[in-house]
Amino acid sequence: MSEGSFSKPRAAKKQSVRAVDDAEAGGLKRTGDKRERILRAAVEVFARQGFYKTRVSEVAKAAGVADGTIYLYFDSKDQLLLSLFEDRIEKLLTFLAKEIAALASPEEKLRRIIELQLGLLDGERELAEVVTIIVRQSNTLLREHAAPKFLAYLDAIASVVAEGQREGTFRSDVSPHLVARAVFGALDGIALTWALGKPEVGALKRSASQLSALILGGIRSSERTSP
Amino acid sequence: MSEGSFSKPRAAKKQSVRAVDDAEAGGLKRTGDKRERILRAAVEVFARQGFYKTRVSEVAKAAGVADGTIYLYFDSKDQLLLSLFEDRIEKLLTFLAKEIAALASPEEKLRRIIELQLGLLDGERELAEVVTIIVRQSNTLLREHAAPKFLAYLDAIASVVAEGQREGTFRSDVSPHLVARAVFGALDGIALTWALGKPEVGALKRSASQLSALILGGIRSSERTSP
Amino acid sequence: MSEGSFSKPRAAKKQSVRAVDDAEAGGLKRTGDKRERILRAAVEVFARQGFYKTRVSEVAKAAGVADGTIYLYFDSKDQLLLSLFEDRIEKLLTFLAKEIAALASPEEKLRRIIELQLGLLDGERELAEVVTIIVRQSNTLLREHAAPKFLAYLDAIASVVAEGQREGTFRSDVSPHLVARAVFGALDGIALTWALGKPEVGALKRSASQLSALILGGIRSSERTSP
Amino acid sequence: MSEGSFSKPRAAKKQSVRAVDDAEAGGLKRTGDKRERILRAAVEVFARQGFYKTRVSEVAKAAGVADGTIYLYFDSKDQLLLSLFEDRIEKLLTFLAKEIAALASPEEKLRRIIELQLGLLDGERELAEVVTIIVRQSNTLLREHAAPKFLAYLDAIASVVAEGQREGTFRSDVSPHLVARAVFGALDGIALTWALGKPEVGALKRSASQLSALILGGIRSSERTSP
DNA sequence: AATGAATGAGAATTCATTCAT
DNA sequence: TATGAATGAATTCTCATTCAT
């Protein structure tokens, strides 16, 4: 279920001039700007047209830079996608950790995760978009490069499930990882069909609460539901 | 979340030489063979390498035909993918209807759907593969061409949910379509991560039963679980 | 001004089964039929679409035979064009000779030639078409293969001019061959622009008489025009 | 007599990078160079091998650019031919207008047109070549795209004829447009046969004067020739 | 002889990537 | 750094020709 080997760049002689984000570095902050602008443009265009149907020049145009400029920040189109994914999922994980830490019960946490992945948390929609979108673009990328980070995200969900199981709130006859995958899949599926249809503003929010009920209903240990 | 516009076939000038399957016809069974052979090769190769990373010549080779032969049966590479999807999901729907009709309770039906989509029903793995694989290859395909068929599949699941709700077996505070989407997503997610790792034979089967428990647990109306 | 080397047939192993027309042979006369049918179809389709834009299969369809059948009568698409040209110009020359012989004055003869090439002589339009059309299709064909026959046609015209010059009817300060070429070109040009516009039935006929006047005016020796 | 439908450029998405000729601009004269270089190479190669027998890569090589570069300036091979025609015939018309304006009598003008089309005017041979060559390459081009420009050229000739008729120098019983077509055809025919044989330097010049005599003889009003 | 499905060489075109400015 | 014109490898698709039936 994957794309075999990634296309070899004709000559990877020139590593990204700035692989790391020296963005916050004081001074001009011009360059960090540009890398970010390109990434932002990339999410948007990849989301709309798909990775393969998107030309590098289209990303450049959307970012307001010259085609060649993209290669000053990323080694190849493939690397751009990969960087995009890594950069964003990193932030997603960080954000998730912070959000989750503040909450007491596993139920609350799971609910929050659902909201987060559905892009319902204010100002963080882009983070959500990337997971849902990018995962669909290149299985190889996922398999060969991004899987670890992706699995870390799943792990974060699984931890919450395991926590609930230890507490006795969640049923113990299901594998936390399985739940994590199923939850991710369900969320992804919702986002997908939502995207396939015409986006109704309220709909996604409504879906989120129903989905929470459904998932929590499914995972809640029965002792608790039948007092 | 889509790939812009799909290239329109130059107007089906050359309609598939043998669109119909006179396969079951006794005797030589020469005809229809080739179209089917190409489709089968295509699933396999697309699944392994992804649609975009697959060269038409690779499909041809896998099918044991000349490159040009593919164009006798399909108008373009895009059309090949589309035909693949339509052909298979059609069969999946037919098969699903038959399987489902034989079962009494909505619970049983949902369980069966889960097994079917996970490719656990004997000899029907290919049907399952296509949905899971193809849906990931081209969002445009999905959005612009295959969505109706795909939605028909979701509808089939939703109907079972609605039936359960009418019966009182399933909780009524969730939209059947939402459930259908979530179920599809969950199954798809399982299949994906299963595919991303190294396929353990028993694992998927085990996942299926846990997933059934989880989903049925989530959807079952609480009156029933708490007597 | 030509197309260099003609494309080599992948394997000319199989010479035309019936290169010669055994058409008139009594009996079934089936085969001669077919060759002729193909030739006729070819003129028509080449005329409409041009040699290069015409698929062999289109000629086959127009002729009501299978694609492969064409190769039983002609070695290649190029050969088909060549045969077409040779066959028709041969007939044109024969026809011309007969028509011309019956006429007394060079003037009359020239007039007849004009009518003939413009396709105005009853039932012989096709002969005319071929010269005008085919000459435009492939300069190489013309240069390397058909030129001799084409030149024979020009020669026929030149002879009439020379005859007029000997008689004193035509001016002697121009080369008969030059006249022949110019006359051919003028006729061809008329036919071309006529074809470029929307064919008005009467127009070509009217053109023919004006053209005769013009050409004869140009070539007539002045002693004769100024009494 | 034409090649069916010409393929439409995918919508000029990439307009010629440098459509305009800033060639005359002093300094490096780097720009504009390339488009012109490609056009020049194209005339030469198309003339030698014919449009259909010429590979885009051959034009590229002759122009000393990469294959892809051609597509920066022209949308397709067909468009290249079209641009070539339009560009050149435009110049031919301009040049013709200037030449003609300087001459007093219609006779002189016609003579000049003959010389021009035969490529006898110094340094303007290329202009002449294009008309003669290109017109033969693609009837469709002519019919569907270039006809208007081509007809403008014929109109220019026709005007001179009409002028002569008004003056009484030329006979009035022939349509100026017919004459224009015939003259064009005659010139074209001469050029063709001249090209078919082995180019003798003096021959074309000699032909031109004979042709002038012939044509002027044909068109001159008889009152004038017979005092 | 006739058929037409199959073949596969060949060609136009695209687009990621480079590099001179 | 930034640019974007130029590059040319790679890929889809076409169509003349073959050949098993």
Side-chain angles (χ1 to χ4, degrees):
Chain A
M1 265 191 207
S2 187
E3 279 113 37
S5 75
F6 234 50
S7 76
K8 52 281 148 199
R10 211 179 315 170
K13 325 168 203 170
K14 183 186 298 177
Q15 293 126 309
S16 257
V17 173
R18 339 184 129 267
V20 211
D21 35 334
D22 47 26
E24 252 64 63
L28 291 189
K29 195 171 172 300
R30 282 314 312 262
T31 33
D33 251 358
K34 215 155 254 181
R35 181 175 198 274
E36 189 53 32
R37 236 159 79 200
I38 294 170
L39 284 177
R40 249 191 262 279
V43 197
E44 199 238 314
V45 193
F46 289 167
R48 187 152 30 81
Q49 315 192 319
F51 177 70
Y52 287 104
K53 296 249 176 191
T54 297
R55 311 293 136 230
V56 170
S57 62
E58 290 176 301
V59 175
K61 194 182 198 177
V65 302
D67 296 15
T69 304
I70 293 198
Y71 290 86
L72 294 177
Y73 296 92
F74 306 93
D75 285 334
S76 66
K77 191 189 173 193
D78 284 342
Q79 276 299 314
L80 171 58
L81 180 62
L82 186 56
S83 302
L84 185 59
F85 186 79
E86 300 215 314
D87 193 280
R88 294 312 196 251
I89 213 169
E90 197 75 52
K91 287 187 183 151
L92 185 66
L93 282 167
T94 309
F95 187 82
L96 188 64
K98 208 170 53 193
E99 283 284 313
I100 292 273
L103 299 172
S105 73
E107 282 209 16
E108 277 306 308
K109 291 176 179 175
L110 212 45
R111 219 188 297 274
R112 199 61 151 202
I113 289 171
I114 290 169
E115 289 168 348
L116 180 59
Q117 191 176 330
L118 286 182
L120 296 175
L121 296 194
D122 273 353
E124 302 305 329
R125 147 147 309 153
E126 204 194 44
L127 294 188
E129 263 180 346
V130 178
V131 208
T132 315
I133 292 162
I134 306 303
V135 162
R136 304 194 160 273
Q137 300 309 327
S138 163
N139 292 334
T140 305
L141 180 71
L142 200 54
R143 166 127 63 169
E144 286 177 16
H145 300 96
K149 301 259 181 177
F150 178 59
L151 294 178
Y153 179 62
L154 289 182
D155 281 349
I157 304 179
S159 303
V160 172
V161 173
E163 186 190 341
Q165 289 179 330
R166 278 196 304 279
E167 267 190 24
T169 339
F170 291 170
R171 58 194 296 173
S172 301
D173 59 347
V174 290
S175 145
H177 275 95
L178 178 88
V179 177
R181 286 156 192 192
V183 167
F184 175 82
L187 290 167
D188 186 48
I190 297 292
L192 174 63
T193 13
W194 183 67
L196 286 182
K198 17 200 164 306
E200 260 182 77
V201 184
L204 194 57
K205 205 147 209 164
R206 215 156 44 242
S207 296
S209 83
Q210 291 189 21
L211 201 59
S212 294
L214 196 63
I215 289 173
L216 290 172
I219 203 179
R220 208 173 274 137
S221 81
S222 20
E223 296 94 68
R224 198 166 170 281
T225 60
S226 50
Chain B
M1 263 189 210
S2 185
E3 274 115 37
S5 76
F6 227 55
S7 75
K8 53 278 146 198
R10 199 125 13 126
K13 20 160 210 210
K14 194 181 285 176
Q15 304 118 306
S16 286
V17 176
R18 327 184 139 274
V20 214
D21 34 336
D22 45 31
E24 252 64 64
L28 292 190
K29 193 169 174 304
R30 285 307 318 265
T31 349
D33 248 4
K34 217 150 252 178
R35 187 186 137 93
E36 190 52 33
R37 234 160 82 201
I38 294 169
L39 283 177
R40 251 191 259 278
V43 199
E44 200 237 314
V45 193
F46 288 168
R48 185 153 30 79
Q49 317 194 320
F51 177 70
Y52 289 105
K53 295 260 174 187
T54 298
R55 309 290 137 234
V56 171
S57 62
E58 291 176 301
V59 175
K61 196 189 219 174
V65 301
D67 295 17
T69 303
I70 296 207
Y71 291 89
L72 290 177
Y73 295 92
F74 306 94
D75 285 327
S76 66
K77 193 189 169 193
D78 281 345
Q79 276 297 312
L80 171 58
L81 180 62
L82 184 57
S83 301
L84 187 58
F85 185 78
E86 300 218 313
D87 194 279
R88 294 312 195 251
I89 212 170
E90 196 76 54
K91 286 187 183 150
L92 184 67
L93 282 168
T94 310
F95 188 81
L96 187 65
K98 209 170 53 196
E99 282 286 312
I100 291 280
L103 299 172
S105 74
E107 283 208 17
E108 276 307 307
K109 289 175 180 176
L110 213 45
R111 219 187 297 275
R112 199 64 158 199
I113 287 171
I114 291 169
E115 289 170 350
L116 181 59
Q117 191 176 330
L118 287 181
L120 297 174
L121 296 194
D122 272 354
E124 301 306 329
R125 149 146 310 151
E126 205 194 44
L127 294 187
E129 262 181 346
V130 178
V131 206
T132 316
I133 292 162
I134 305 304
V135 162
R136 303 192 162 276
Q137 299 307 329
S138 163
N139 292 334
T140 304
L141 174 74
L142 201 53
R143 167 126 62 165
E144 288 179 14
H145 300 264
K149 301 260 181 176
F150 177 59
L151 294 178
Y153 179 62
L154 290 183
D155 281 349
I157 304 180
S159 301
V160 172
V161 174
E163 187 190 341
Q165 289 179 329
R166 276 196 307 276
E167 265 191 27
T169 337
F170 291 170
R171 59 194 294 173
S172 299
D173 59 348
V174 290
S175 144
H177 276 95
L178 178 89
V179 177
R181 284 155 194 193
V183 167
F184 175 83
L187 291 166
D188 188 47
I190 297 293
L192 174 63
T193 13
W194 183 67
L196 285 182
K198 349 160 207 324
E200 259 182 78
V201 184
L204 194 57
K205 205 147 208 162
R206 212 156 46 242
S207 296
S209 83
Q210 289 189 22
L211 201 61
S212 294
L214 196 64
I215 289 173
L216 289 172
I219 203 180
R220 207 173 275 136
S221 81
S222 22
E223 297 94 67
R224 197 165 171 279
T225 60
S226 52
Chain C
M1 264 187 211
S2 188
E3 279 113 36
S5 75
F6 234 50
S7 75
K8 52 280 147 200
R10 210 177 317 172
K13 327 168 203 173
K14 183 186 296 178
Q15 294 125 309
S16 259
V17 173
R18 339 184 129 266
V20 213
D21 35 335
D22 46 26
E24 253 62 66
L28 290 190
K29 194 171 173 301
R30 282 314 310 261
T31 35
D33 251 359
K34 214 154 257 181
R35 181 175 197 275
E36 188 53 31
R37 237 159 77 200
I38 294 169
L39 284 176
R40 248 191 262 277
V43 197
E44 199 238 314
V45 192
F46 288 167
R48 189 153 27 81
Q49 316 193 318
F51 177 70
Y52 287 106
K53 297 246 178 194
T54 298
R55 312 293 138 230
V56 170
S57 63
E58 290 177 300
V59 176
K61 192 180 199 179
V65 302
D67 295 16
T69 303
I70 292 198
Y71 290 85
L72 293 177
Y73 296 92
F74 306 93
D75 284 334
S76 67
K77 191 188 171 192
D78 283 342
Q79 276 298 313
L80 171 58
L81 180 62
L82 186 55
S83 302
L84 185 59
F85 186 78
E86 301 216 311
D87 193 281
R88 294 311 195 254
I89 214 170
E90 196 76 54
K91 287 187 182 150
L92 185 66
L93 282 167
T94 311
F95 187 83
L96 187 64
K98 208 170 53 194
E99 283 286 313
I100 292 275
L103 300 171
S105 74
E107 283 209 16
E108 277 307 307
K109 291 177 180 176
L110 213 45
R111 219 188 298 274
R112 199 62 152 202
I113 288 172
I114 291 169
E115 289 168 348
L116 180 58
Q117 192 176 329
L118 286 182
L120 296 174
L121 296 194
D122 274 352
E124 301 306 329
R125 148 146 310 154
E126 203 193 47
L127 294 187
E129 263 180 347
V130 177
V131 208
T132 316
I133 292 163
I134 305 303
V135 162
R136 302 194 161 273
Q137 301 308 327
S138 163
N139 290 337
T140 306
L141 181 71
L142 200 54
R143 166 125 64 166
E144 287 178 16
H145 299 97
K149 301 261 179 175
F150 177 59
L151 294 179
Y153 178 64
L154 290 183
D155 281 350
I157 303 179
S159 302
V160 172
V161 173
E163 184 190 343
Q165 289 179 331
R166 277 196 303 280
E167 268 191 25
T169 337
F170 292 169
R171 58 195 295 172
S172 301
D173 58 349
V174 290
S175 144
H177 275 95
L178 177 89
V179 177
R181 285 155 193 192
V183 167
F184 175 83
L187 291 168
D188 187 46
I190 296 292
L192 174 63
T193 13
W194 184 68
L196 285 182
K198 1 174 191 324
E200 261 183 77
V201 184
L204 193 57
K205 203 146 210 162
R206 212 158 43 244
S207 296
S209 83
Q210 291 189 21
L211 200 61
S212 295
L214 195 64
I215 290 173
L216 290 171
I219 203 179
R220 206 173 276 136
S221 81
S222 25
E223 297 92 68
R224 197 165 172 279
T225 60
S226 52
Chain D
M1 267 190 207
S2 187
E3 277 114 35
S5 75
F6 226 56
S7 76
K8 53 275 148 201
R10 199 127 9 127
K13 18 159 210 211
K14 195 182 286 173
Q15 304 118 305
S16 286
V17 175
R18 327 183 140 274
V20 215
D21 36 334
D22 44 32
E24 251 64 64
L28 291 189
K29 195 172 173 300
R30 286 302 326 257
T31 349
D33 249 2
K34 218 151 253 179
R35 187 186 138 93
E36 190 51 34
R37 235 160 80 201
I38 294 169
L39 284 176
R40 252 191 258 278
V43 198
E44 198 238 312
V45 193
F46 289 167
R48 186 153 29 82
Q49 316 193 319
F51 177 70
Y52 288 105
K53 296 260 175 189
T54 298
R55 310 293 136 232
V56 170
S57 63
E58 292 176 302
V59 176
K61 194 188 220 175
V65 300
D67 295 17
T69 303
I70 295 204
Y71 291 88
L72 290 177
Y73 296 91
F74 306 93
D75 284 328
S76 66
K77 192 188 171 194
D78 282 345
Q79 276 297 312
L80 171 58
L81 180 62
L82 185 56
S83 301
L84 187 59
F85 184 78
E86 299 218 312
D87 194 278
R88 295 311 195 253
I89 213 170
E90 196 76 54
K91 287 186 183 151
L92 184 66
L93 282 168
T94 310
F95 187 82
L96 188 64
K98 209 171 51 196
E99 283 285 312
I100 291 280
L103 300 172
S105 74
E107 282 209 15
E108 276 307 308
K109 291 176 179 176
L110 214 44
R111 218 187 298 274
R112 200 61 157 198
I113 288 171
I114 291 170
E115 288 169 350
L116 181 58
Q117 190 175 330
L118 286 181
L120 297 174
L121 296 193
D122 271 354
E124 302 305 330
R125 149 146 310 152
E126 204 194 45
L127 294 187
E129 263 181 345
V130 178
V131 206
T132 316
I133 291 163
I134 305 301
V135 162
R136 304 195 159 273
Q137 299 307 327
S138 165
N139 292 334
T140 305
L141 175 73
L142 201 54
R143 167 124 64 166
E144 288 178 15
H145 302 263
K149 301 261 180 175
F150 176 60
L151 294 179
Y153 179 63
L154 290 183
D155 281 350
I157 304 179
S159 301
V160 172
V161 174
E163 187 190 340
Q165 290 180 328
R166 276 195 307 276
E167 268 190 26
T169 338
F170 292 170
R171 58 194 297 175
S172 301
D173 59 348
V174 289
S175 144
H177 275 96
L178 178 90
V179 177
R181 285 155 192 192
V183 167
F184 174 83
L187 290 166
D188 187 49
I190 297 292
L192 174 63
T193 14
W194 183 67
L196 285 182
K198 9 194 175 310
E200 257 181 79
V201 184
L204 193 57
K205 204 146 208 162
R206 213 158 43 245
S207 295
S209 84
Q210 289 190 22
L211 200 61
S212 294
L214 195 63
I215 289 172
L216 289 171
I219 204 179
R220 207 173 276 135
S221 82
S222 22
E223 297 93 67
R224 197 166 170 276
T225 61
S226 51

